[in-house]
Amino acid sequence: MQVKQFPSIDSWGAAIAELWCARLTAHPTLRMCLPAGHTPTPVYAAMRRAVGDGEASFRQATIYLLDEYGGLHPDDPGRCGNMLRSQLLDGIDLPPRQYVHLNADETNLDPLCRASDQQLERGPLDLAILGIGTNGHLGMNEPGTHPGSLTRRVELHASTIAASARYLDHTDVPTWGVTLGMKALLAAHEVWLLATGPHKADIIARTVHGELGNAVPASLLRGHPNCVVWLDHEAAAGL
Ligand code: PGA
């Protein structure tokens, strides 16, 4: 696990976007999973600018949505897919058929999850970009998740439910979701874990230096051969 620290969110976002553009240029068919949430917002803004300026293209790439809340209206701006759409997808040149997302509204999710895992077993992700919850979750792989876990429906922990309220303009918070499993994330050729802000400092310290195990799912990335943790100085304060 390689840790990179930056003095500001601007320099942090610019460095991640620069490397992401380089990856897309070297490998235009890049297959990646992307998180929604507040953390990646500056990176996505920089990628939209890069595409607008002709410095990057997603025309041949494939994007998998990392996770999605269940039980929210399809148009709810707090849904992960809707956040990713407004923050990134609407401003880049990704063909719609190359965006893969698990539809949490389906009544029978199991076949969708199996199909997604089979696809990712045939061809692992080139790049998994991940945020981190203050409880150490990756996607919706909550503490206690087995490293071999598959794509599935999950019940959310209380801290994740509370945190989801930040994305919503109402109080009907989701209690479950669908997430790519740890197996697919750990099988990615390259993993970037993104964190900014003082509220992430404690969990980042535990991820990097604490006990390695599924009590903090992000710590499992220490066993990954090609994982970079991208931090601003506030998230790195406990290291
Ligand atoms: P955030 O969410 O980027 O909005 O902090 C991260 C997460 O919970 O995984």
Side-chain angles (χ1 to χ4, degrees):
M1 176 178 267
Q2 185 193 352
V3 178
K4 290 182 192 264
Q5 299 183 27
F6 296 84
S8 66
I9 292 197
D10 281 351
S11 56
W12 170 90
I16 298 168
E18 191 185 341
L19 191 61
W20 193 353
C21 290
R23 290 287 186 273
L24 280 167
T25 303
H27 190 171
T29 59
L30 202 72
R31 295 167 70 247
M32 66 209 101
C33 77
L34 300 183
H38 291 158
T39 306
T41 310
V43 181
Y44 292 159
M47 291 308 287
R48 287 201 313 267
R49 282 194 298 275
V51 170
D53 294 345
E55 289 159 13
S57 173
F58 288 84
R59 224 167 294 128
Q60 298 180 59
T62 303
I63 290 177
Y64 287 80
L65 178 64
L66 173 63
D67 53 7
E68 183 57 280
Y69 291 119
L72 294 182
H73 188 275
D75 297 332
D76 195 313
R79 272 173 81 121
C80 298
N82 292 339
M83 279 193 264
L84 188 66
R85 182 163 298 289
S86 62
Q87 291 175 357
L88 180 72
L89 301 177
D90 281 348
I92 61 173
D93 55 352
L94 182 86
R97 67 178 180 285
Q98 285 153 227
Y99 171 54
V100 184
H101 64 287
L102 289 161
N103 184 358
D105 302 327
E106 283 289 333
T107 38
N108 192 359
L109 277 167
D110 279 354
L112 290 181
C113 293
R114 290 295 70 75
S116 167
D117 280 331
Q118 278 163 11
Q119 241 183 61
L120 292 175
E121 265 163 35
R122 277 196 298 274
L125 294 164
D126 297 303
L127 174 62
I129 300 185
L130 306 171
I132 182 171
T134 52
N135 66 358
H137 71 205
L138 298 177
M140 291 174 186
N141 293 288
E142 299 281 30
T145 299
H146 190 274
S149 60
L150 300 176
T151 300
R152 68 206 183 283
R153 176 186 165 131
V154 285
E155 302 306 313
L156 301 176
H157 281 204
S159 69
T160 303
I161 293 172
S164 70
R166 296 173 300 152
Y167 311 133
L168 304 173
D169 55 11
H170 55 81
T171 52
D172 201 6
V173 288
T175 57
W176 64 276
V178 201
T179 186
L180 297 190
M182 287 303 298
K183 187 175 179 191
L185 302 182
L186 292 170
H189 295 310
E190 187 170 8
V191 178
W192 296 352
L193 181 65
L194 276 45
T196 54
H199 60 304
K200 298 288 173 76
D202 177 54
I203 193 61
I204 285 296
R206 292 173 62 203
T207 296
V208 176
H209 295 308
E211 197 174 322
L212 194 162
N214 61 2
V216 176
S219 72
L220 297 170
L221 295 174
R222 285 184 359 225
H224 189 281
N226 191 7
C227 173
V228 181
V229 184
W230 300 82
L231 306 173
D232 76 331
H233 72 285
E234 290 186 318
L239 297 182

